[in-house]
mmCIF file of all heavy atoms in Angstrom:
data_model
loop_
_atom_site.group_PDB
_atom_site.id
_atom_site.type_symbol
_atom_site.label_atom_id
_atom_site.label_comp_id
_atom_site.label_asym_id
_atom_site.label_seq_id
_atom_site.Cartn_x
_atom_site.Cartn_y
_atom_site.Cartn_z
ATOM 1 N N HIS A 81 0.429 0.832 2.004
ATOM 2 C CA HIS A 81 0.953 0.555 3.356
ATOM 3 C C HIS A 81 2.420 0.147 3.267
ATOM 4 O O HIS A 81 2.732 -0.998 2.927
ATOM 5 C CB HIS A 81 0.116 -0.562 4.007
ATOM 6 C CG HIS A 81 0.510 -0.886 5.421
ATOM 7 N ND1 HIS A 81 -0.417 -1.054 6.432
ATOM 8 C CD2 HIS A 81 1.722 -1.096 6.007
ATOM 9 C CE1 HIS A 81 0.203 -1.347 7.555
ATOM 10 N NE2 HIS A 81 1.510 -1.388 7.322
ATOM 11 N N THR A 82 3.314 1.085 3.539
ATOM 12 C CA THR A 82 4.738 0.736 3.605
ATOM 13 C C THR A 82 5.429 1.450 4.769
ATOM 14 O O THR A 82 4.959 2.477 5.257
ATOM 15 C CB THR A 82 5.542 1.078 2.318
ATOM 16 O OG1 THR A 82 5.981 2.437 2.373
ATOM 17 C CG2 THR A 82 4.758 0.829 1.043
ATOM 18 N N HIS A 83 6.554 0.859 5.149
ATOM 19 C CA HIS A 83 7.471 1.466 6.120
ATOM 20 C C HIS A 83 8.805 1.565 5.371
ATOM 21 O O HIS A 83 9.783 0.904 5.728
ATOM 22 C CB HIS A 83 7.635 0.584 7.349
ATOM 23 C CG HIS A 83 6.354 0.137 8.008
ATOM 24 N ND1 HIS A 83 5.964 0.579 9.249
ATOM 25 C CD2 HIS A 83 5.368 -0.726 7.612
ATOM 26 C CE1 HIS A 83 4.815 0.003 9.603
ATOM 27 N NE2 HIS A 83 4.424 -0.798 8.611
ATOM 28 N N LYS A 150 5.206 5.314 6.069
ATOM 29 C CA LYS A 150 4.979 5.647 7.473
ATOM 30 C C LYS A 150 6.277 6.012 8.179
ATOM 31 O O LYS A 150 7.344 5.500 7.838
ATOM 32 C CB LYS A 150 4.395 4.433 8.201
ATOM 33 C CG LYS A 150 3.061 3.974 7.626
ATOM 34 C CD LYS A 150 2.635 2.644 8.235
ATOM 35 C CE LYS A 150 1.499 2.009 7.443
ATOM 36 N NZ LYS A 150 0.281 2.820 7.388
ATOM 37 N N TYR A 153 9.863 4.528 13.230
ATOM 38 C CA TYR A 153 11.113 3.997 13.763
ATOM 39 C C TYR A 153 11.927 5.113 14.428
ATOM 40 O O TYR A 153 13.097 4.931 14.743
ATOM 41 C CB TYR A 153 11.947 3.328 12.660
ATOM 42 C CG TYR A 153 11.286 2.099 12.058
ATOM 43 C CD1 TYR A 153 11.105 2.000 10.676
ATOM 44 C CD2 TYR A 153 10.860 1.050 12.861
ATOM 45 C CE1 TYR A 153 10.507 0.886 10.112
ATOM 46 C CE2 TYR A 153 10.253 -0.064 12.301
ATOM 47 C CZ TYR A 153 10.082 -0.153 10.937
ATOM 48 O OH TYR A 153 9.495 -1.259 10.379
ATOM 49 N N LEU A 183 3.365 7.549 12.334
ATOM 50 C CA LEU A 183 3.150 6.320 13.112
ATOM 51 C C LEU A 183 4.025 6.361 14.370
ATOM 52 O O LEU A 183 4.800 5.460 14.644
ATOM 53 C CB LEU A 183 3.453 5.079 12.231
ATOM 54 C CG LEU A 183 3.449 3.686 12.855
ATOM 55 C CD1 LEU A 183 2.146 3.353 13.560
ATOM 56 C CD2 LEU A 183 3.757 2.615 11.814
ATOM 57 N N HIS A 186 4.050 3.375 17.381
ATOM 58 C CA HIS A 186 4.379 2.109 16.718
ATOM 59 C C HIS A 186 4.883 1.101 17.744
ATOM 60 O O HIS A 186 4.642 -0.097 17.642
ATOM 61 C CB HIS A 186 5.447 2.373 15.645
ATOM 62 C CG HIS A 186 5.631 1.270 14.653
ATOM 63 N ND1 HIS A 186 6.702 1.200 13.812
ATOM 64 C CD2 HIS A 186 4.880 0.191 14.366
ATOM 65 C CE1 HIS A 186 6.604 0.127 13.040
ATOM 66 N NE2 HIS A 186 5.500 -0.512 13.361
ATOM 67 N N ASP A 220 -1.303 6.963 12.333
ATOM 68 C CA ASP A 220 -1.409 5.509 12.458
ATOM 69 C C ASP A 220 -0.979 5.141 13.875
ATOM 70 O O ASP A 220 -0.310 5.917 14.556
ATOM 71 C CB ASP A 220 -0.469 4.859 11.407
ATOM 72 C CG ASP A 220 -0.627 3.352 11.252
ATOM 73 O OD1 ASP A 220 -1.328 2.712 12.061
ATOM 74 O OD2 ASP A 220 -0.014 2.798 10.300
ATOM 75 N N HIS A 250 -2.872 0.130 12.205
ATOM 76 C CA HIS A 250 -2.442 -1.267 12.329
ATOM 77 C C HIS A 250 -3.334 -1.945 13.373
ATOM 78 O O HIS A 250 -3.221 -1.643 14.569
ATOM 79 C CB HIS A 250 -1.001 -1.346 12.834
ATOM 80 C CG HIS A 250 0.050 -1.092 11.806
ATOM 81 N ND1 HIS A 250 0.341 0.160 11.310
ATOM 82 C CD2 HIS A 250 0.904 -1.955 11.181
ATOM 83 C CE1 HIS A 250 1.342 0.051 10.437
ATOM 84 N NE2 HIS A 250 1.694 -1.216 10.335
ATOM 85 N N GLN A 253 -3.276 -7.658 14.050
ATOM 86 C CA GLN A 253 -2.202 -8.456 13.448
ATOM 87 C C GLN A 253 -2.067 -9.794 14.181
ATOM 88 O O GLN A 253 -1.959 -10.840 13.546
ATOM 89 C CB GLN A 253 -0.871 -7.686 13.477
ATOM 90 C CG GLN A 253 0.264 -8.442 12.787
ATOM 91 C CD GLN A 253 1.558 -7.644 12.707
ATOM 92 O OE1 GLN A 253 1.667 -6.552 13.265
ATOM 93 N NE2 GLN A 253 2.548 -8.177 12.031
ATOM 94 N N ASP A 272 -5.589 -1.857 8.758
ATOM 95 C CA ASP A 272 -4.619 -2.660 8.028
ATOM 96 C C ASP A 272 -4.129 -3.853 8.857
ATOM 97 O O ASP A 272 -3.965 -3.726 10.065
ATOM 98 C CB ASP A 272 -3.413 -1.792 7.646
ATOM 99 C CG ASP A 272 -3.797 -0.561 6.824
ATOM 100 O OD1 ASP A 272 -4.832 0.081 7.126
ATOM 101 O OD2 ASP A 272 -3.051 -0.232 5.899
ATOM 102 N N HIS A 273 -3.921 -4.950 8.211
ATOM 103 C CA HIS A 273 -3.507 -6.261 8.754
ATOM 104 C C HIS A 273 -4.717 -7.192 8.804
ATOM 105 O O HIS A 273 -4.909 -8.001 7.918
ATOM 106 C CB HIS A 273 -2.808 -6.185 10.122
ATOM 107 C CG HIS A 273 -1.344 -5.914 10.028
ATOM 108 N ND1 HIS A 273 -0.437 -6.826 9.576
ATOM 109 C CD2 HIS A 273 -0.631 -4.792 10.314
ATOM 110 C CE1 HIS A 273 0.785 -6.299 9.609
ATOM 111 N NE2 HIS A 273 0.684 -5.053 10.033
ATOM 112 N N LEU A 301 -2.266 -7.592 4.112
ATOM 113 C CA LEU A 301 -0.829 -7.465 3.873
ATOM 114 C C LEU A 301 -0.232 -8.873 3.787
ATOM 115 O O LEU A 301 0.408 -9.362 4.725
ATOM 116 C CB LEU A 301 -0.195 -6.655 5.023
ATOM 117 C CG LEU A 301 -0.838 -5.268 5.234
ATOM 118 C CD1 LEU A 301 -0.432 -4.667 6.573
ATOM 119 C CD2 LEU A 301 -0.479 -4.318 4.090
ATOM 120 N N CYS A 304 3.338 -9.978 4.858
ATOM 121 C CA CYS A 304 3.595 -10.130 6.302
ATOM 122 C C CYS A 304 3.153 -11.518 6.762
ATOM 123 O O CYS A 304 3.874 -12.189 7.505
ATOM 124 C CB CYS A 304 2.863 -9.019 7.050
ATOM 125 S SG CYS A 304 2.914 -9.192 8.827
ATOM 126 N N ASP A 330 3.195 -3.754 2.945
ATOM 127 C CA ASP A 330 3.738 -3.652 4.317
ATOM 128 C C ASP A 330 5.269 -3.581 4.326
ATOM 129 O O ASP A 330 5.889 -3.809 5.362
ATOM 130 C CB ASP A 330 3.246 -4.813 5.205
ATOM 131 C CG ASP A 330 3.388 -4.502 6.691
ATOM 132 O OD1 ASP A 330 3.558 -3.318 7.037
ATOM 133 O OD2 ASP A 330 3.341 -5.441 7.510
ATOM 134 N N HIS A 331 5.866 -3.309 3.203
ATOM 135 C CA HIS A 331 7.334 -3.238 3.081
ATOM 136 C C HIS A 331 7.981 -2.648 4.343
ATOM 137 O O HIS A 331 7.823 -1.469 4.626
ATOM 138 C CB HIS A 331 7.653 -2.371 1.851
ATOM 139 C CG HIS A 331 9.084 -2.425 1.438
ATOM 140 N ND1 HIS A 331 9.567 -1.658 0.396
ATOM 141 C CD2 HIS A 331 10.136 -3.136 1.892
ATOM 142 C CE1 HIS A 331 10.855 -1.910 0.242
ATOM 143 N NE2 HIS A 331 11.221 -2.798 1.127
ATOM 144 N N ASN A 332 8.694 -3.469 5.084
ATOM 145 C CA ASN A 332 9.395 -3.026 6.302
ATOM 146 C C ASN A 332 10.490 -4.044 6.617
ATOM 147 O O ASN A 332 10.462 -5.170 6.122
ATOM 148 C CB ASN A 332 8.392 -2.882 7.465
ATOM 149 C CG ASN A 332 7.986 -4.218 8.064
ATOM 150 O OD1 ASN A 332 8.747 -4.827 8.811
ATOM 151 N ND2 ASN A 332 6.795 -4.697 7.717
ATOM 152 N N SER A 335 8.758 -7.478 9.416
ATOM 153 C CA SER A 335 7.703 -8.464 9.152
ATOM 154 C C SER A 335 7.427 -8.674 7.666
ATOM 155 O O SER A 335 6.705 -9.615 7.308
ATOM 156 C CB SER A 335 6.406 -8.041 9.852
ATOM 157 O OG SER A 335 5.864 -6.891 9.241
HETATM 158 FE FE1 LIG B 2 2.860 -2.136 8.726
#
Side-chain angles (χ1 to χ4, degrees):
H81 183 135
T82 86
H83 308 248
K150 300 171 194 299
Y153 295 126
L183 173 56
H186 195 194
D220 189 350
H250 281 74
Q253 183 175 6
D272 303 40
H273 275 289
L301 304 166
C304 173
D330 199 17
H331 191 183
N332 77 76
S335 69

